[in-house]
Amino acid sequence: MERVYIIGSEGSSVVKIGRTVDLERRIPALQTGSYLPLHVIWTCAGDNGLETYLHHHFAKFKTHGEWFDFGQDDPVESVKAAIRNRVKPVPKARQEDRHESADPVPSLAVRMEDAVSTRMANAEDAARLDLPEGSPIMVIERTYYGSGGEVVEFSTVLRPSGPYLVSYQPTDEELNSPRYW
């Protein structure tokens, strides 16, 4: 089972927010690159989507890689609050809830950003995509931002890797359409 974790050193406000399936093996691997003793501060069940959401949510605290400086704030309480306040996608309207209106439905999101990367499929990815484990896959991490720059929704899409061209800019009409969300 995947775990999202916070690792840090005693007396330091800089922590790593990461994800692993084997925390016992992850700590020694990280320790070899740190002159300070590292220990697990907090952990919870979580996948790539949660880890990436937290990285985006705390981007202003990022120092490098997956390391964040929370200053005087408690990183554990900050992460717990971010998870509690995480906006979930709104389910599609039921037929009886739909109505005709000349005014577009206001949206919380004012900007969308896609981060596209590739990686090798792990066992879970391979099962979902019906591919052999270790096959190259494309990862699209889509983040929607509110008017204050806050993350209002996040999603991760996995696709078999191939010669794709990803190019899309939604129109204002699409962004304000209830069908778009």
Side-chain angles (χ1 to χ4, degrees):
M1 174 173 56
E2 288 183 289
R3 310 282 306 167
V4 170
Y5 61 81
I6 300 174
I7 289 179
S9 295
E10 182 99 19
S12 175
S13 61
V14 178
V15 298
K16 180 182 187 311
I17 299 174
R19 171 184 52 91
T20 186
V21 292
D22 190 346
L23 199 53
E24 295 302 315
R25 288 181 53 199
R26 188 69 181 128
I27 297 168
L30 291 171
Q31 188 61 65
T32 60
S34 176
Y35 66 95
L36 296 171
L38 298 174
H39 62 277
V40 177
I41 299 171
W42 178 83
T43 182
C44 76
D47 60 8
N48 182 55
L50 177 58
E51 177 194 30
T52 305
Y53 165 76
L54 293 171
H55 288 176
H56 283 279
H57 186 80
F58 295 113
K60 65 183 175 188
F61 299 135
K62 186 175 183 174
T63 61
H64 64 283
E66 296 181 334
W67 293 84
F68 301 82
D69 188 344
F70 282 83
Q72 298 299 315
D73 295 341
D74 179 348
V76 172
E77 291 308 312
S78 297
V79 166
K80 285 180 179 179
I83 292 170
R84 276 193 308 272
N85 296 325
R86 183 177 181 191
V87 175
K88 304 287 185 191
V90 177
K92 291 182 179 177
R94 297 180 310 226
Q95 188 66 38
E96 61 269 21
D97 292 341
R98 294 184 184 149
H99 62 281
E100 294 298 319
S101 172
D103 297 326
V105 176
S107 167
L108 293 175
V110 296
R111 184 171 65 85
M112 176 188 78
E113 181 180 291
D114 281 345
V116 181
S117 61
T118 58
R119 64 179 164 88
M120 299 303 182
N122 61 29
E124 184 180 341
D125 300 334
R128 284 184 182 166
L129 297 172
D130 195 26
L131 296 171
E133 190 172 346
S135 296
I137 60 171
M138 180 171 58
V139 181
I140 303 170
E141 296 171 330
R142 179 166 288 170
T143 308
Y144 297 92
Y145 296 92
S147 59
E150 73 281 8
V151 174
V152 295
E153 185 177 339
F154 180 83
S155 64
T156 301
V157 176
L158 303 177
R159 305 290 300 166
S161 194
Y164 294 105
L165 170 63
V166 179
S167 177
Y168 182 71
Q169 176 62 47
T171 65
D172 289 341
E173 183 180 331
E174 287 175 310
L175 285 173
N176 289 317
S177 168
R179 288 184 301 259
Y180 185 76
W181 301 101

